[in-house]
Amino acid sequence: MTEVRQEMARELGWYASFSVAFGFVSIATGIFTTYGAVLATSGPRGIWAWPISVIGQLAIALVFGALAARIPISGYSYQWVSRIVGPVWGWIMGWISFAFLGVVVVAVDYTIASTILPELFRYVGTTQNAWVITAGVVLLQALLVAISTRTTHRVNNAAVTMQLIGMIALTVLLFAVGAFTGKLDFAHLFETGTVPASGYYGLGGATEAGPFALAFLLGAFTIVGFESAANLAEETKDPARVIPKAMVQAVLSLGVLGFLFLIAVTAAAGRIDGVSASATPVATVITAVLGSVIGKILLVLVVISIFSCGLVITLSGTRLVYAMSRDERFPGWRLLKRIDRRTATPLNATIFMMLIAQIILAVFSRSTDALFELFSAATLLPAVIYAGTVAMYAAKRRSLPPSKGFSLGRWEIPVLVLAAVWLVYELLIFRDASFSAPWIYVLVLCGIGAVYLAVLIIRRGRDSLTMPDMADVDRALDTAGTAPVGAAAERTFQ
């Protein structure tokens, strides 16, 4: 039995953990990315799907919080499923998570280049300049993550603080200035716009989802990634208590603030010409209501928020690749499991994630519908991850290790039922024919993963894919918060 030493310092507190969850979710990113698609497919009335989506995602966050309090180890669903169901299923979950993190960072950064900068600097956005700008943003985020985890968190903490202040100020100003100038039309909140009212709430057919059903993608794409706080469990103080709290608070705060912002933007959009035809509808509304100067200042804050979101995704992706490589279960694991002595970061894993993001960007950016395809893939994959993890929790909840930080208690069954119903409904939306490109991405990545897993099992045998038993997890929980070691220090390998 060989002991593996902890190589990353446990130094993150509650606000850093909250900032990671809040920064990944980033309502600025999600709304700026998907609002135009919602207007096109569901009309202004589509914003009422948001609170339902928030409730569904909150149920998932509560389940993830219960798991994070029991198994506080980097790699979240990969680690949880590996230990509770089995290493092969855990590996599959880890690979799907990797595919998600690779595409979502591109979707987030592409938002800056395609929806905000053209409005901010008044130039015509094209697939070519969006590609170049996004590639530069991805590279800069990787550099920050590679140089220093502490610096990354300082940047993210500052950006999240700015996002909180900026989004609150933006929402208040839209309501106040819009009311003063008469540009708010609350009746617009209930209109369907160019979408026919007949059959609006229908479920759709075998290969198409109804208009209102498609509106749920706004919340499903935005309120996602809160579990990234669990991916930094080995760097968080008292993770069993801090991480569940951070995830739930991030979903609630973002849900409320995001809905108020949607109401303000949509009410203002009713009396502004050309919003539905704009490639950047949210930015168009902000500039029209608040004026060019104030609008641009607030758009700069939104750019910072979105950059922070991509930064957290990059950080989370590197930690997942590092965790799987440390277990010798990722392609090139010998290089990717290394912690750089100078930066104390998984430098090779960071470079790898950056290269993967650049490849995905090159594939999707040739399409004129690149943003829609990217955010669709980045919504489908987490839904699959969430569904698998919730199903695992439901099946194995009685055999889970004890929690010392967070428990669902008597609400466990209602929360599980709510999460399951929401996830089934969300996944059924992706039967719509417009999601063919995201499905192709998912199938290609899963095919590559299946080949590697088969090679891994053939070369090393299924028995080699063992994971530490639950006693190791219990011991990690006992020491969490009292000693500067993480779960990795408690892990033993056969």
Side-chain angles (χ1 to χ4, degrees), residues 261-424:
F261 179 68
L262 280 170
I263 290 174
V265 169
T266 306
R271 294 185 178 175
I272 297 174
D273 295 332
V275 172
S276 60
S278 173
T280 58
V282 177
T284 299
V285 170
I286 292 172
T287 303
V289 175
L290 303 181
S292 178
V293 176
I294 295 177
K296 286 186 176 182
I297 291 173
L298 291 171
L299 286 176
V300 169
L301 291 178
V302 171
V303 170
I304 294 172
S305 299
I306 296 175
F307 180 85
S308 167
C309 177
L311 186 66
V312 170
I313 295 169
T314 302
L315 180 66
S316 186
T318 61
R319 293 310 186 264
L320 175 63
V321 170
Y322 164 74
M324 294 183 70
S325 299
R326 186 176 58 184
D327 293 342
E328 302 181 6
R329 284 164 207 177
F330 201 85
W333 58 267
R334 286 184 176 85
L335 287 174
L336 299 178
K337 73 173 184 177
R338 295 177 182 174
I339 299 294
D340 186 79
R341 292 183 178 180
R342 292 170 300 174
T343 63
T345 63
L347 180 60
N348 292 341
T350 305
I351 295 172
F352 176 79
M353 281 300 299
M354 185 271 294
L355 293 175
I356 291 297
Q358 297 289 5
I359 293 171
I360 293 171
L361 172 62
V363 171
F364 278 96
S365 63
R366 296 178 181 273
S367 169
T368 55
D369 294 323
L371 189 59
F372 176 78
E373 292 171 355
L374 285 165
F375 95 73
S376 297
T379 308
L380 170 60
L381 283 163
V384 173
I385 295 167
Y386 293 162
T389 307
V390 169
M392 177 271 299
Y393 183 97
K396 299 289 185 177
R397 61 190 181 88
R398 296 190 184 279
S399 60
L400 295 175
S403 171
K404 296 186 179 180
F406 178 82
S407 174
L408 294 176
R410 63 181 180 178
W411 294 99
E412 185 177 56
I413 297 299
V415 167
L416 280 171
V417 171
L418 178 59
V421 170
W422 160 244
L423 285 166
V424 169

Side-chain angles (χ1 to χ4, degrees), residues 52-53 56-57 60 216 220 417-427:
I52 302 173
S53 300
Q57 297 298 80
I60 298 169
F216 283 94
V417 171
L418 178 59
V421 170
W422 160 244
L423 285 166
V424 169
Y425 182 78
E426 181 184 350
L427 286 170

Side-chain angles (χ1 to χ4, degrees), residues 64 106 137 171 182 204 218 292 311 357 366 368 371 387 482 484:
F64 273 60
V106 179
V137 174
T171 303
L218 173 62
S292 178
L311 186 66
R366 296 178 181 273
T368 55
L371 189 59
T482 60

Side-chain angles (χ1 to χ4, degrees), residues 103-463:
V103 72
V104 72
V105 70
V106 179
V108 165
D109 292 341
Y110 200 83
T111 303
I112 296 177
S114 64
T115 68
I116 301 179
L117 294 186
E119 179 74 21
L120 196 58
F121 296 106
R122 296 294 180 179
Y123 68 87
V124 177
T126 65
T127 56
Q128 288 77 20
N129 58 40
W131 183 352
V132 172
I133 293 169
T134 305
V137 174
V138 168
L139 177 60
L140 180 56
Q141 289 164 340
L143 286 173
L144 279 171
V145 171
I147 290 170
S148 169
T149 299
R150 181 172 295 181
T151 300
T152 299
H153 283 294
R154 285 176 177 172
V155 171
N156 184 58
N157 289 350
V160 165
T161 301
M162 292 177 67
Q163 180 176 180
L164 277 167
I165 296 171
M167 290 301 293
I168 292 173
L170 186 54
T171 303
V172 171
L173 284 172
L174 284 172
F175 275 121
V177 177
F180 181 77
T181 58
K183 290 183 177 179
L184 293 182
D185 180 7
F186 289 102
H188 190 58
L189 302 175
F190 305 95
E191 296 175 359
T192 61
T194 59
V195 180
S198 177
Y200 184 83
Y201 295 104
L203 296 178
T207 59
E208 62 178 11
F212 189 63
L214 290 172
F216 283 94
L217 295 180
L218 173 62
F221 173 75
T222 306
I223 310 294
V224 71
F226 44 81
E227 71 278 6
S228 57
N231 207 18
L232 300 175
E234 295 175 28
E235 301 162 71
T236 303
K237 302 173 184 175
D238 195 11
R241 290 180 174 82
V242 168
I243 290 173
K245 179 180 178 181
M247 289 194 294
V248 171
Q249 289 177 336
V251 172
L252 285 173
S253 58
L254 286 159
V256 173
L257 180 56
F259 191 49
L260 290 174
F261 179 68
L262 280 170
I263 290 174
V265 169
T266 306
R271 294 185 178 175
I272 297 174
D273 295 332
V275 172
S276 60
S278 173
T280 58
V282 177
T284 299
V285 170
I286 292 172
T287 303
V289 175
L290 303 181
S292 178
V293 176
I294 295 177
K296 286 186 176 182
I297 291 173
L298 291 171
L299 286 176
V300 169
L301 291 178
V302 171
V303 170
I304 294 172
S305 299
I306 296 175
F307 180 85
S308 167
C309 177
L311 186 66
V312 170
I313 295 169
T314 302
L315 180 66
S316 186
T318 61
R319 293 310 186 264
L320 175 63
V321 170
Y322 164 74
M324 294 183 70
S325 299
R326 186 176 58 184
D327 293 342
E328 302 181 6
R329 284 164 207 177
F330 201 85
W333 58 267
R334 286 184 176 85
L335 287 174
L336 299 178
K337 73 173 184 177
R338 295 177 182 174
I339 299 294
D340 186 79
R341 292 183 178 180
R342 292 170 300 174
T343 63
T345 63
L347 180 60
N348 292 341
T350 305
I351 295 172
F352 176 79
M353 281 300 299
M354 185 271 294
L355 293 175
I356 291 297
Q358 297 289 5
I359 293 171
I360 293 171
L361 172 62
V363 171
F364 278 96
S365 63
R366 296 178 181 273
S367 169
T368 55
D369 294 323
L371 189 59
F372 176 78
E373 292 171 355
L374 285 165
F375 95 73
S376 297
T379 308
L380 170 60
L381 283 163
V384 173
I385 295 167
Y386 293 162
T389 307
V390 169
M392 177 271 299
Y393 183 97
K396 299 289 185 177
R397 61 190 181 88
R398 296 190 184 279
S399 60
L400 295 175
S403 171
K404 296 186 179 180
F406 178 82
S407 174
L408 294 176
R410 63 181 180 178
W411 294 99
E412 185 177 56
I413 297 299
V415 167
L416 280 171
V417 171
L418 178 59
V421 170
W422 160 244
L423 285 166
V424 169
Y425 182 78
E426 181 184 350
L427 286 170
L428 285 174
I429 296 173
F430 287 93
R431 74 188 185 279
D432 194 275
S434 61
F435 301 119
S436 58
W439 274 113
I440 292 172
Y441 168 77
V442 171
L443 292 174
V444 169
L445 265 292
C446 288
I448 294 172
V451 170
Y452 180 77
L453 179 60
V455 171
L456 191 66
I457 294 175
I458 292 170
R459 291 182 58 185
R460 298 170 55 186
R462 186 186 179 96
D463 292 340

